[in-house]
Amino acid sequence: MAVTTMAKAINAGLRKALERDNKVLLMGQDIGKLGGVFRVTDGLQKDFGETRVIDSPLAESGILGTAVGLAMRGYRPVVEIQFDGFVYPAFDQIVSQVAKHHARSSGRTPMPITIRIPYGGGIGAVEHHSESPEAYFAHTAGLRVVSPSNPLDAFVMVQQAIACDDPVVFFEPKRRYWDKGDVDESLVIASAPTPFAARIVRPGTSATVACYGPMVRTCLEAATAAAEDGTDLEVIDLRSISPLDTATVAASVRRTGRLVVVHEASVFLGVGAELAARITEECFYSLEAPVLRVGGYHTPYPPSRVEEDYLPDLDRVLDAVDRAMAY
Amino acid sequence: MAVTTMAKAINAGLRKALERDNKVLLMGQDIGKLGGVFRVTDGLQKDFGETRVIDSPLAESGILGTAVGLAMRGYRPVVEIQFDGFVYPAFDQIVSQVAKHHARSSGRTPMPITIRIPYGGGIGAVEHHSESPEAYFAHTAGLRVVSPSNPLDAFVMVQQAIACDDPVVFFEPKRRYWDKGDVDESLVIASAPTPFAARIVRPGTSATVACYGPMVRTCLEAATAAAEDGTDLEVIDLRSISPLDTATVAASVRRTGRLVVVHEASVFLGVGAELAARITEECFYSLEAPVLRVGGYHTPYPPSRVEEDYLPDLDRVLDAVDRAMAY
Amino acid sequence: MTADGGPELIQLLTPEGERVHHPDYDIDLTPDELRGLYRDLVLVRRVDAEATALQRQGELGLWAQLLGQEAAQVGSGRALHPDDFAFPTYREHGVAWTRDVDPLQLLGLFRGVTNGGWDPHEHNFALYTIVIGDQCLHAVGYAMGIQRDGADAAVIAYFGDGATSQGDVNESFVFAAVYNVPVVFFCQNNQWAISEPLERQTRIPLYKRADGFGFPGVRVDGNDVLAVLAVTRAALAYARDGQGPMLIEAFTYRMGAHTTSDDPSRYRVAADLEAWKLKDPIERVKVYLARSGLADSAYFASVEEEAEALAVRLRDGCRSMPDPAPASMFDHVYAEQHPLVDAERTTFETYHASFAQGGVH
Amino acid sequence: MTADGGPELIQLLTPEGERVHHPDYDIDLTPDELRGLYRDLVLVRRVDAEATALQRQGELGLWAQLLGQEAAQVGSGRALHPDDFAFPTYREHGVAWTRDVDPLQLLGLFRGVTNGGWDPHEHNFALYTIVIGDQCLHAVGYAMGIQRDGADAAVIAYFGDGATSQGDVNESFVFAAVYNVPVVFFCQNNQWAISEPLERQTRIPLYKRADGFGFPGVRVDGNDVLAVLAVTRAALAYARDGQGPMLIEAFTYRMGAHTTSDDPSRYRVAADLEAWKLKDPIERVKVYLARSGLADSAYFASVEEEAEALAVRLRDGCRSMPDPAPASMFDHVYAEQHPLVDAERTTFETYHASFAQGGVH
Ligand SMILES: Cc1ncc(C[n+]2csc(CCOP(=O)(O)OP(=O)(O)O)c2C)c(N)n1
Ligand SMILES: Cc1ncc(C[n+]2csc(CCOP(=O)(O)OP(=O)(O)O)c2C)c(N)n1
Ligand SMILES: [Mg+2]
Ligand SMILES: [Mg+2]
């Protein structure tokens, strides 16, 4: 058990995966000597060689397309997309090939590809470096989409994603890369809970707040603040967006009667829309207020000098909770 | 006033746009001599020449990327994507450039680009020719997304899309291309209602059914059948997906108390999710049942021999209506 | 661009059936092998004709004809070793034949009973790829795998003239060159991308594209099965030998429509077709075999009979092909358990059961 | 690949400041023009240095340094006619300078007060494009417009060595060649794509990429402002003349980090840097001007003064740059009215007003 950052925890998880299975390959831009722009792959090329930790040419579609071919040959490619805004050139390969090939082959050819994407805002970056595109992938059948919120989950979930025979889009909350937490590197992933289930990270009774990735910390802080005003929030870390663990959320909502969903992505057709629609259907008679959503606006991610006004924060979460409680 | 098919109506609309504004250009694969694989651009290259009706090289990103440059130069490109499943190679140009450039330029450089996409299933096609990707685009700020359901709307809306200074993704329900309807070609689009508003195509009192594109006919047929069992459905043709005319739907739901949303796209994170979330929030106390959704499953579009089992049909719409009425 | 392929065109058998020689490429085949190629060409053309007929009869939703491209496909397919792996488009029925894929499995896709069909690993023949260009990157990735496995094998990626405009195809050239992987890029330049002539995709011969990426490119007479076989064998050997990628432009012509839904009369003149008829890939082999006494009318008749029998088998097999079970659409969306798909399948089955039990509707 | 650019390198001014001649390209500049280029180079480098300093001081979120690429940018930028249009990446500060874009507007983007900044139409200089390669297609589209307008103008598209691997860049070559539009592809090969050396993108010199698409490609000494100016002028004239695209590879070196967040010590050796220091783009011009008596120390001093004054202006201008109004994020999402954006803006403003009025939180 050691205290480490999320970035280092993912690095440790990747190292374990490379050690466990020699079919595991890392591919991406600048992941070799540089160790990636966030140093998540630091030292891995040195230790596992250039044939397993591959600096790819500057072409995302090429990276995903070659990953598909490698998967057909029995490899387990782990692809790094340098920033959220640069995954789109690979969208065709992801949506038309990675996501559909297993079904097309009637199960003969799995696509055990992990697509790591540092995502979200809050780091004062220039355009295209702060986006939250998870809804595009979650809407796509054949893909799994997960996002860890803390170092331990990051360490375990990245290994589980790589071990999974389905393609997994692994969204890393880049502004939490430097958050610290306890990580037990001896933990065996087989014994860990499935990455595709949500977790109640703070039990509460007044209302349920569902979130994932970078927003979990924000919502926990909001819960602490709310507690002072006597509002006892239950915070759920969804962890997985596809599949979406509605059972855990529904059970909570049946107890609390209220739900607020929080994410950085635009609210319009964001993950909150699906969760709201399903929970309302499942818990129609338990809901004392409509499911409220807190998220990005229907605008491009703004210049960094105003990103704090775009990103959901403690106050906006509490504001939504207040509105939910007011029903 | 003449009876014509939707394909011919769009052709007529494109012709009007080309006549009205010599900055309007048509670009795409096989749109020249062939007139497009659905003949929607039939005869236009002959009449307007190869510099205005352009057979592009086989590269969707190239087509959209050059459209962006042409728009910067003051042109109004109308791009044809041959089939829904082939828009993904252009996803980066659409999401990162077409959608964001106007905001990036602080309003100095509009992107009056119309992206025509024949979409949806039901024509017995091979893979990638029957998809409904509208949610990807509707989730993207900066884009407008519309879909006509009948020849007259198609004729008017395509002209309005081209006249709009924003980029418009124009989804054409390919299986309705051969549906006939009255079209008054002398109609002046300025006087026509905005393409971004929904329309009640069948007033009713028992429940509201919201749909768009290919599903409008299906839902109207369902309403006729329901009427026989004494259920009086109000059918709303959304027409626009971004913006989404929730006001019209909300007003209807306040009267009927029930809402069923129908589309071909996968239900999970489909347009129905957003409509359900918003309407539930706006009409929380009017809803007597949760908003129910009928749509595609979370699977790739299946082989054509089973597509009828995948596509929402009259029976599935009625089944959802029954479930809504049962609350 | 010269309609006849120009002087750079590698040819070993002229349209008149005359065996000619080339300084860089030659081939020495046994009579059996030569007759075998003829048989392949005839049977493959018959598969194509039969499938086209089945589409007309409504048994298939669509068919992409290979008429005119038999030699390009059979020649390159027969150049492959068993361990080599081929990545086709949607038109490589002739290559499928050389990989022992039952033509009925091809029909299954165009009939709409599956989006795939055969076992790629059993035949070392990937599933058809409909999205133009995507498979070229898969081929390079697969070749990266071969390279890592240290296997004595190569990959061949098929694509068309129109595909050369796609970013993915050009990216596959970049990756293949930089990684120096064992892949042969086999471009069937049939002069058309649906209605668009070659001029819409390039202003220089396509085999020259390789110059821009730093590997060899050659143009072969795509209607000359011997030349295609010789050139592809050489390219595959070059690749297996660790020398990296090579681009082969098979100069041929799409004698049929793009697919059964296409109407070429809208965009091309009959004259071209007539000119290319004179370069038929099968006729020249037949003339050569007959003239050089390698085959007699009895042999030709036996092949015809075999073709007839094959046609009958396809017709019957296609008509009796069962539709998939509706619920099968949920079967392989994911390799591992996925609650949403499970839930939707249950809803789907309960809903359909309600009809069986004479439900409300 | 030869580190010195090889014999194909077009050079008019050696690193030692010696004026040499080239059979195909030459240039004859007035003393004023020559001094002007020197001034451009010095001021552009100063802008870069000042911006780097401002980033260190926390005034900018990021800065992409052009150090070492001044000649490639000033030389090509000065070759443009007023009506020509340039499409930059995120590093073309020197080109921006030649298009009269106030450096303060560049700082605005890296400070995070805007995602754009200047008026592209006022300067015929597009906004910076951060997504690698996208702008090359925009350039071709813009050139298609020029072609349709029958205007006497050309377009120049800037991109890096890494960008040559992107599908979009290669597609832009296809479209430009097929449509024969007036565009010059200007590739600054600074040998690095962040941490990846040229070998990760190509195995042959980049200017040869053009061979694969059927238009001319040349390699120029990117640190030689005279050669770059001469070659770019010729390419632009060729384009305006209706002869179509041309590719220029400006062979140079990224002397600084990729951006201020990068740490090159992790992936490259100091020796390379030392070797390239000897090829400094400014020093050679200074030596040439001095030796040929075209400029004296007084002139050099005056330019230094001007640079100092510019630096002061940038420092003050940057520090006093106001943040945008938060609600401005809703301003230009759409050109026409959009109810969702209007509604969100209203919610946003009401919510913030609640704080102003000392709301609950
Ligand atoms: C990305 C993509 N865009 C468009 C299409 C539609 N389409 C199918 S085949 C074809 C033409 C292909 O031409 P070519 O590459 O020359 O191959 P050929 O059909 O001639 O064998 C087009 C445009 C597609 N399948 N994929
Ligand atoms: C599509 C895309 N992928 C990745 C990135 C991240 N990125 C920014 S600059 C860069 C390297 C670019 O190298 P090069 O084209 O040589 O230009 P240079 O930075 O050297 O001027 C990368 C990978 C990006 N901006 N866009
Ligand atoms: Mg072709
Ligand atoms: Mg570079």
PDB file of all heavy atoms in Angstrom, chain B residues 48-63:
ATOM      1  N   PHE B  48     -25.909  23.212 -64.145  1.00  0.00           N
ATOM      2  CA  PHE B  48     -25.132  24.239 -63.431  1.00  0.00           C
ATOM      3  C   PHE B  48     -23.624  24.087 -63.611  1.00  0.00           C
ATOM      4  O   PHE B  48     -22.855  24.908 -63.105  1.00  0.00           O
ATOM      5  CB  PHE B  48     -25.514  24.246 -61.951  1.00  0.00           C
ATOM      6  CG  PHE B  48     -26.945  24.641 -61.715  1.00  0.00           C
ATOM      7  CD1 PHE B  48     -27.933  23.672 -61.620  1.00  0.00           C
ATOM      8  CD2 PHE B  48     -27.312  25.975 -61.627  1.00  0.00           C
ATOM      9  CE1 PHE B  48     -29.269  24.031 -61.419  1.00  0.00           C
ATOM     10  CE2 PHE B  48     -28.640  26.350 -61.434  1.00  0.00           C
ATOM     11  CZ  PHE B  48     -29.627  25.371 -61.342  1.00  0.00           C
ATOM     12  N   GLY B  49     -23.224  23.044 -64.311  1.00  0.00           N
ATOM     13  CA  GLY B  49     -21.807  22.918 -64.638  1.00  0.00           C
ATOM     14  C   GLY B  49     -20.969  22.232 -63.572  1.00  0.00           C
ATOM     15  O   GLY B  49     -21.378  22.108 -62.414  1.00  0.00           O
ATOM     16  N   GLU B  50     -19.785  21.824 -63.983  1.00  0.00           N
ATOM     17  CA  GLU B  50     -18.909  21.048 -63.100  1.00  0.00           C
ATOM     18  C   GLU B  50     -18.245  21.889 -62.019  1.00  0.00           C
ATOM     19  O   GLU B  50     -17.721  21.337 -61.054  1.00  0.00           O
ATOM     20  CB  GLU B  50     -17.837  20.337 -63.925  1.00  0.00           C
ATOM     21  CG  GLU B  50     -18.400  19.285 -64.862  1.00  0.00           C
ATOM     22  CD  GLU B  50     -17.306  18.373 -65.417  1.00  0.00           C
ATOM     23  OE1 GLU B  50     -16.118  18.548 -65.060  1.00  0.00           O
ATOM     24  OE2 GLU B  50     -17.650  17.472 -66.216  1.00  0.00           O
ATOM     25  N   THR B  51     -18.240  23.220 -62.200  1.00  0.00           N
ATOM     26  CA  THR B  51     -17.610  24.020 -61.138  1.00  0.00           C
ATOM     27  C   THR B  51     -18.572  24.250 -59.978  1.00  0.00           C
ATOM     28  O   THR B  51     -18.156  24.593 -58.881  1.00  0.00           O
ATOM     29  CB  THR B  51     -17.133  25.396 -61.663  1.00  0.00           C
ATOM     30  OG1 THR B  51     -18.261  26.101 -62.193  1.00  0.00           O
ATOM     31  CG2 THR B  51     -16.078  25.216 -62.751  1.00  0.00           C
ATOM     32  N   ARG B  52     -19.860  24.033 -60.217  1.00  0.00           N
ATOM     33  CA  ARG B  52     -20.829  24.233 -59.125  1.00  0.00           C
ATOM     34  C   ARG B  52     -21.394  22.921 -58.607  1.00  0.00           C
ATOM     35  O   ARG B  52     -21.875  22.855 -57.471  1.00  0.00           O
ATOM     36  CB  ARG B  52     -21.962  25.162 -59.580  1.00  0.00           C
ATOM     37  CG  ARG B  52     -21.474  26.586 -59.878  1.00  0.00           C
ATOM     38  CD  ARG B  52     -22.626  27.556 -60.019  1.00  0.00           C
ATOM     39  NE  ARG B  52     -23.395  27.661 -58.781  1.00  0.00           N
ATOM     40  CZ  ARG B  52     -24.602  28.206 -58.730  1.00  0.00           C
ATOM     41  NH1 ARG B  52     -25.191  28.629 -59.844  1.00  0.00           N
ATOM     42  NH2 ARG B  52     -25.241  28.302 -57.571  1.00  0.00           N
ATOM     43  N   VAL B  53     -21.363  21.895 -59.414  1.00  0.00           N
ATOM     44  CA  VAL B  53     -21.811  20.564 -58.967  1.00  0.00           C
ATOM     45  C   VAL B  53     -20.616  19.635 -59.164  1.00  0.00           C
ATOM     46  O   VAL B  53     -20.320  19.211 -60.277  1.00  0.00           O
ATOM     47  CB  VAL B  53     -23.035  20.092 -59.759  1.00  0.00           C
ATOM     48  CG1 VAL B  53     -23.477  18.718 -59.284  1.00  0.00           C
ATOM     49  CG2 VAL B  53     -24.182  21.103 -59.610  1.00  0.00           C
ATOM     50  N   ILE B  54     -19.931  19.391 -58.057  1.00  0.00           N
ATOM     51  CA  ILE B  54     -18.586  18.824 -58.091  1.00  0.00           C
ATOM     52  C   ILE B  54     -18.537  17.360 -57.656  1.00  0.00           C
ATOM     53  O   ILE B  54     -18.931  17.023 -56.529  1.00  0.00           O
ATOM     54  CB  ILE B  54     -17.658  19.645 -57.169  1.00  0.00           C
ATOM     55  CG1 ILE B  54     -17.735  21.136 -57.530  1.00  0.00           C
ATOM     56  CG2 ILE B  54     -16.237  19.120 -57.231  1.00  0.00           C
ATOM     57  CD1 ILE B  54     -17.161  22.050 -56.445  1.00  0.00           C
ATOM     58  N   ASP B  55     -18.065  16.510 -58.558  1.00  0.00           N
ATOM     59  CA  ASP B  55     -17.768  15.126 -58.181  1.00  0.00           C
ATOM     60  C   ASP B  55     -16.443  15.147 -57.422  1.00  0.00           C
ATOM     61  O   ASP B  55     -15.396  15.468 -57.997  1.00  0.00           O
ATOM     62  CB  ASP B  55     -17.637  14.243 -59.423  1.00  0.00           C
ATOM     63  CG  ASP B  55     -18.969  13.610 -59.825  1.00  0.00           C
ATOM     64  OD1 ASP B  55     -19.819  13.389 -58.946  1.00  0.00           O
ATOM     65  OD2 ASP B  55     -19.151  13.354 -61.030  1.00  0.00           O
ATOM     66  N   SER B  56     -16.475  14.827 -56.150  1.00  0.00           N
ATOM     67  CA  SER B  56     -15.269  14.911 -55.320  1.00  0.00           C
ATOM     68  C   SER B  56     -14.498  13.607 -55.352  1.00  0.00           C
ATOM     69  O   SER B  56     -15.065  12.553 -55.598  1.00  0.00           O
ATOM     70  CB  SER B  56     -15.655  15.191 -53.865  1.00  0.00           C
ATOM     71  OG  SER B  56     -16.668  16.156 -53.790  1.00  0.00           O
ATOM     72  N   PRO B  57     -13.203  13.686 -55.047  1.00  0.00           N
ATOM     73  CA  PRO B  57     -12.447  12.456 -54.828  1.00  0.00           C
ATOM     74  C   PRO B  57     -13.085  11.668 -53.683  1.00  0.00           C
ATOM     75  O   PRO B  57     -13.856  12.215 -52.885  1.00  0.00           O
ATOM     76  CB  PRO B  57     -11.057  12.969 -54.431  1.00  0.00           C
ATOM     77  CG  PRO B  57     -10.944  14.292 -55.122  1.00  0.00           C
ATOM     78  CD  PRO B  57     -12.334  14.878 -55.020  1.00  0.00           C
ATOM     79  N   LEU B  58     -12.751  10.393 -53.599  1.00  0.00           N
ATOM     80  CA  LEU B  58     -13.384   9.503 -52.625  1.00  0.00           C
ATOM     81  C   LEU B  58     -12.773   9.688 -51.233  1.00  0.00           C
ATOM     82  O   LEU B  58     -11.989   8.840 -50.782  1.00  0.00           O
ATOM     83  CB  LEU B  58     -13.231   8.047 -53.089  1.00  0.00           C
ATOM     84  CG  LEU B  58     -14.322   7.069 -52.665  1.00  0.00           C
ATOM     85  CD1 LEU B  58     -14.058   5.702 -53.233  1.00  0.00           C
ATOM     86  CD2 LEU B  58     -14.581   7.048 -51.202  1.00  0.00           C
ATOM     87  N   ALA B  59     -13.117  10.785 -50.580  1.00  0.00           N
ATOM     88  CA  ALA B  59     -12.559  11.048 -49.255  1.00  0.00           C
ATOM     89  C   ALA B  59     -13.463  12.034 -48.517  1.00  0.00           C
ATOM     90  O   ALA B  59     -13.468  13.227 -48.820  1.00  0.00           O
ATOM     91  CB  ALA B  59     -11.148  11.613 -49.384  1.00  0.00           C
ATOM     92  N   GLU B  60     -14.207  11.536 -47.558  1.00  0.00           N
ATOM     93  CA  GLU B  60     -15.180  12.379 -46.851  1.00  0.00           C
ATOM     94  C   GLU B  60     -14.534  13.497 -46.070  1.00  0.00           C
ATOM     95  O   GLU B  60     -15.048  14.619 -46.018  1.00  0.00           O
ATOM     96  CB  GLU B  60     -16.039  11.525 -45.926  1.00  0.00           C
ATOM     97  CG  GLU B  60     -17.077  10.663 -46.647  1.00  0.00           C
ATOM     98  CD  GLU B  60     -16.482   9.479 -47.377  1.00  0.00           C
ATOM     99  OE1 GLU B  60     -15.290   9.158 -47.148  1.00  0.00           O
ATOM    100  OE2 GLU B  60     -17.201   8.857 -48.185  1.00  0.00           O
ATOM    101  N   SER B  61     -13.403  13.223 -45.433  1.00  0.00           N
ATOM    102  CA  SER B  61     -12.756  14.291 -44.677  1.00  0.00           C
ATOM    103  C   SER B  61     -12.309  15.381 -45.644  1.00  0.00           C
ATOM    104  O   SER B  61     -12.445  16.574 -45.360  1.00  0.00           O
ATOM    105  CB  SER B  61     -11.552  13.744 -43.894  1.00  0.00           C
ATOM    106  OG  SER B  61     -11.097  14.690 -42.962  1.00  0.00           O
ATOM    107  N   GLY B  62     -11.820  14.951 -46.789  1.00  0.00           N
ATOM    108  CA  GLY B  62     -11.416  15.909 -47.809  1.00  0.00           C
ATOM    109  C   GLY B  62     -12.579  16.753 -48.292  1.00  0.00           C
ATOM    110  O   GLY B  62     -12.438  17.959 -48.521  1.00  0.00           O
ATOM    111  N   ILE B  63     -13.728  16.141 -48.417  1.00  0.00           N
ATOM    112  CA  ILE B  63     -14.908  16.874 -48.892  1.00  0.00           C
ATOM    113  C   ILE B  63     -15.315  17.920 -47.853  1.00  0.00           C
ATOM    114  O   ILE B  63     -15.505  19.092 -48.169  1.00  0.00           O
ATOM    115  CB  ILE B  63     -16.064  15.900 -49.178  1.00  0.00           C
ATOM    116  CG1 ILE B  63     -15.693  14.977 -50.346  1.00  0.00           C
ATOM    117  CG2 ILE B  63     -17.349  16.665 -49.499  1.00  0.00           C
ATOM    118  CD1 ILE B  63     -16.660  13.826 -50.567  1.00  0.00           C
TER     119      ILE B  63
END
